[in-house]
């Protein structure tokens, strides 16, 4: 259900979702978010797509989706989060939220590209993510071990 409908993996920690699964199958143990992340998100590079929008009732949202090639070279896409975004829509706030989501899934050092529409605030947010990677010792130290051999996709924003 989560994968086919592109629901965020964060649903596995929602108390009501846990109750729902327990009612369906009391013997089933729901995997943790880390288990889902480690088994479904690859060892190598991940591309993120993101979008911000405001609903008809004036509630703002931000969504982040991860895209990657699995071991069989099949393109996989998973919605990591789709959440209300009540902060000001500045580039810094958007960038920080995307980094927070990437960190929560322990993929912040695997991100090689972030794609969005051309809204100025989102572009500024993506530039702040690039700066994060340039200055993050944690991300920089782990990145080489996750890059495929002879990677010819090295790009700079």
């Amino acid at each position: 259900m989560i994968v086919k409908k592109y629901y965020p993996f964060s649903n596995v920690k929602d108390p009501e979702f846990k109750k729902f699964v327990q009612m369906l199958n009391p013997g089933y143990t729901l995997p943790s978010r880390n288990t889902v992340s480690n088994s479904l998100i690859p060892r190598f590079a991940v591309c993120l797509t993101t979008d911000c929008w405001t609903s008809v009732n004036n509630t703002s949202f931000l969504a982040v989706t991860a895209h990657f090639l699995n071991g069989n070279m099949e393109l996989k896409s998973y919605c990591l989060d789709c959440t209300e975004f009540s902060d000001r829509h500045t580039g810094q706030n958007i960038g920080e939220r995307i980094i927070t989501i990437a960190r929560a899934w322990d993929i912040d050092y695997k991100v090689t590209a972030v794609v969005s529409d051309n809204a100025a605030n989102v572009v500024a947010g993506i530039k702040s993510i690039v700066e994060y990677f340039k200055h993050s010792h944690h991300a920089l130290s782990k990145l080489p071990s996750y890059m495929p051999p002879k990677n010819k996709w090295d790009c700079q924003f």
Side-chain angles (χ1 to χ4, degrees), residues 61-109:
F61 293 92
L62 178 132
V64 177
T65 305
H67 310 273
F68 57 89
L69 297 174
N70 69 7
N72 296 324
M73 298 306 289
E74 300 167 322
L75 178 63
K76 296 293 181 177
S77 298
Y78 297 103
C79 179
L80 300 180
D81 207 350
C82 181
T83 183
E84 189 172 330
F85 190 68
S86 57
D87 298 337
R88 289 185 53 230
H89 289 197
T90 64
Q92 182 177 353
N93 289 344
I94 292 169
E96 286 174 2
R97 181 68 65 93
I98 294 169
I99 290 169
T100 299
I101 292 168
R103 277 188 193 139
W105 288 98
D106 196 27
I107 61 168
D108 53 331
Y109 51 89

Side-chain angles (χ1 to χ4, degrees), residues 28-155:
Y28 181 72
T29 302
L30 198 61
S32 72
R33 184 170 149 159
N34 286 339
T35 301
V36 172
S37 176
N38 291 333
S39 65
L40 292 176
I41 297 180
R43 218 185 114 214
F44 300 120
V46 175
C47 174
L48 299 179
T49 54
T50 187
D51 195 13
C52 296
W53 69 93
T54 303
S55 68
V56 293
N57 65 352
N58 211 28
T59 303
S60 297
F61 293 92
L62 178 132
V64 177
T65 305
H67 310 273
F68 57 89
L69 297 174
N70 69 7
N72 296 324
M73 298 306 289
E74 300 167 322
L75 178 63
K76 296 293 181 177
S77 298
Y78 297 103
C79 179
L80 300 180
D81 207 350
C82 181
T83 183
E84 189 172 330
F85 190 68
S86 57
D87 298 337
R88 289 185 53 230
H89 289 197
T90 64
Q92 182 177 353
N93 289 344
I94 292 169
E96 286 174 2
R97 181 68 65 93
I98 294 169
I99 290 169
T100 299
I101 292 168
R103 277 188 193 139
W105 288 98
D106 196 27
I107 61 168
D108 53 331
Y109 51 89
K110 298 178 187 180
V111 176
T112 58
V114 182
V115 179
S116 72
D117 60 13
N118 205 21
N121 57 343
V122 179
V123 171
I126 291 170
K127 285 182 181 178
S128 74
I129 293 169
V130 172
E131 289 303 312
Y132 162 77
F133 287 117
K134 285 182 181 177
H135 295 94
S136 169
H137 296 293
H138 174 72
L140 287 175
S141 67
K142 285 195 166 188
L143 185 60
S145 66
Y146 285 91
M147 296 305 291
K150 298 182 183 174
N151 184 357
K152 296 186 181 186
W153 299 343
D154 287 340
C155 300

